[in-house]
Amino acid sequence: MSRARRAAEPTGPRQQRGIRRSRDLFASFLVEQTDPQRFYGDLAADSLATLGEWVDVRDRLVLDVGAGPAQFAAAFRAAGAHYIPLDYDPQVASVADGGIVGSADAIPVESGSVDMVFCSNLLEHVEQVEQVLDELVRVLKPGGLLYLSYTNWLSPWGGHEASPWHYVSGDYAIRRYQRAHGKLPKNRLGETLYRTSVAEVLRWARAKPDAEVLVARPRYLPDAARHLLEVPVFREFLTWNLLLILRRTNTR
């Protein structure tokens, strides 16, 4: 069996991931800019339901790398986790309330010290992808879980707020957004946004000697869509947002 396929069976309550769930998540996604409380609240609840298949987060030490919206902090803490946010920006809501200021490519946390790493929609914003990925695994205890998701560049939303014009070019997307809104987009290719692919992260996961892949599928789509990941090129356009859950298997 490919290392990118599920290597173990979940032990917790099964999440229902059909068309209805996808419809509801996409409806929330469409109001991210106008109603972020709704979108990030729904996404946090969905993320915890996904994790709940593999682990009970109660009393677990959870490090959120690239922490941002306070809704994730509230959801993890309400579930009983010992939640620690980490971000390079000290003004981020969840970090400002008490967290760690630091970089994802050199996490200021001891190796093998946390039960879980949660990393949602950070990876497309870092230039050294594999270095960050290695850091996310490094800080996990043996048996600890990494929840990783990100929007790849060739996704319909790969250009973020400047989408879908990133399909023309990153520079064109920036110029068009600036003309339309009178300001630069927050996410700019080569500055705050990078061409992260599905293929490169799957290669890393399959080759990682000290991690086991439990889940590999599109984050927002029904479970049947996991087969998209086996189709090169098409997966870059159709995955939208890749979700991986890995388990740390040993220390080096």
Side-chain angles (χ1 to χ4, degrees):
M1 178 180 291
S2 166
R3 280 182 59 87
R5 296 184 181 179
R6 192 169 60 195
E9 288 296 319
T11 56
R14 300 295 181 94
Q15 183 186 29
Q16 298 299 312
R17 288 186 294 270
I19 293 175
R20 183 174 182 177
R21 166 186 169 271
S22 296
R23 180 201 64 195
D24 291 345
L25 284 176
F26 280 123
S28 291
F29 175 76
L30 291 175
V31 298
E32 177 187 4
Q33 299 298 317
T34 58
D35 190 0
Q37 178 73 28
R38 172 187 167 186
F39 171 65
Y40 289 111
D42 289 349
L43 193 59
D46 185 79
S47 300
L48 277 167
T50 300
L51 277 168
E53 295 190 359
W54 298 97
V55 65
D56 183 352
V57 302
R58 184 173 301 277
D59 296 326
R60 304 278 183 170
L61 181 59
V62 178
L63 181 67
D64 186 350
V65 179
Q71 288 82 1
F72 289 102
F76 273 104
R77 287 170 178 155
H82 301 295
Y83 172 88
I84 300 175
L86 180 150
D87 199 276
Y88 78 95
D89 183 357
Q91 303 304 315
V92 164
S94 55
V95 174
D97 287 338
I100 300 173
V101 178
S103 175
D105 59 11
I107 298 174
V109 171
E110 184 179 351
S111 298
S113 61
V114 302
D115 298 305
M116 185 184 307
V117 171
F118 183 78
C119 186
S120 176
N121 293 324
L122 166 73
L123 206 61
E124 67 266 36
H125 301 294
V126 302
E127 189 169 9
Q128 303 298 328
V129 170
E130 288 200 12
Q131 184 173 335
V132 170
L133 290 170
D134 287 341
E135 280 288 281
L136 299 178
V137 173
R138 177 187 65 80
V139 301
L140 283 172
K141 297 176 181 177
L145 294 187
L146 165 62
Y147 179 108
L148 172 72
S149 76
Y150 67 98
T151 302
N152 58 295
W153 174 247
L154 289 178
S155 159
W157 293 101
H160 287 49
E161 68 268 44
S163 299
W165 304 105
H166 65 296
Y167 283 135
V168 178
S169 77
D171 288 341
Y172 177 78
I174 292 171
R175 292 196 304 271
R176 193 179 191 283
Y177 183 92
Q178 188 172 23
R179 287 198 303 270
H181 299 277
K183 61 180 181 180
L184 289 171
K186 177 182 178 181
N187 299 284
R188 301 181 297 277
L189 183 65
E191 298 178 43
T192 56
L193 188 64
Y194 297 91
R195 291 189 178 93
T196 310
S197 73
V198 172
E200 68 178 312
V201 178
L202 287 179
R203 280 195 302 268
W204 169 86
R206 288 169 172 153
K208 189 67 176 165
D210 53 351
E212 170 191 18
V213 179
L214 303 177
V215 173
R217 61 175 176 81
R219 184 180 193 178
Y220 299 119
L221 301 182
D223 271 2
R226 67 184 182 276
H227 301 297
L228 290 173
L229 301 186
E230 304 303 322
V231 187
V233 181
F234 287 99
R235 64 190 174 196
E236 301 293 341
F237 293 92
L238 301 178
T239 297
W240 286 67
N241 188 291
L242 178 64
L243 168 65
L244 293 177
I245 298 179
L246 287 80
R247 177 185 289 142
R248 179 76 185 270
T249 55
N250 55 60
T251 56
R252 287 188 279 181

